[in-house]
């Protein structure tokens, strides 16, 4: 079953990339290094957000994007200003 599941995931990923390629942002060295810095900040503040959140925060920070999230706690622990989306 694992091989079939892996095949479905690869197909899903390929479709996602093809459909959204023009709006995808590559994780470059600058973003990856910033994510590591943000994880260190969060850990020094007693939080342990995941690497995915750190990459999202680093991308927003590096590119000057506003961080909009319902999960502000992980991002504020990294020192990233957030706002909650309108409902």
């Amino acid at each position: 079953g694992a091989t079939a599941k892996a095949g479905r995931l690869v197909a899903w990923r390929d479709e996602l990339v093809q459909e959204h390629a023009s709006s995808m942002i590559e994780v470059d060295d600058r973003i990856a290094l910033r994510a590591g810095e943000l994880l260190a900040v969060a850990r020094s503040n007693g939080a342990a957000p995941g690497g995915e959140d750190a990459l999202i925060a680093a991308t927003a920070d590096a590119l000057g994007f506003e961080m909009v999230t319902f999960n502000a706690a992980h991002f504020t622990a990294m020192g990233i200003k957030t706002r909650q989306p309108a409902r």
Side-chain angles (χ1 to χ4, degrees), residues 48-74:
E52 297 86 351
D53 284 343
L55 286 169
I56 292 166
T59 301
D61 189 52
L63 299 176
F65 293 161
E66 182 176 24
M67 190 70 226
V68 180
T69 181
F70 288 114
N71 185 18
H74 286 174

Side-chain angles (χ1 to χ4, degrees), residues 14-44:
D14 291 347
E15 181 181 326
L16 186 70
V17 169
Q18 183 177 12
E19 192 170 316
H20 298 284
S22 65
S23 60
M24 296 178 87
I25 299 168
E26 185 176 329
V27 174
D28 59 15
D29 290 346
R30 173 179 59 142
I31 291 172
L33 290 171
R34 184 67 179 134
E37 293 168 355
L38 293 174
L39 281 173
V41 169
R43 289 190 178 126
S44 73

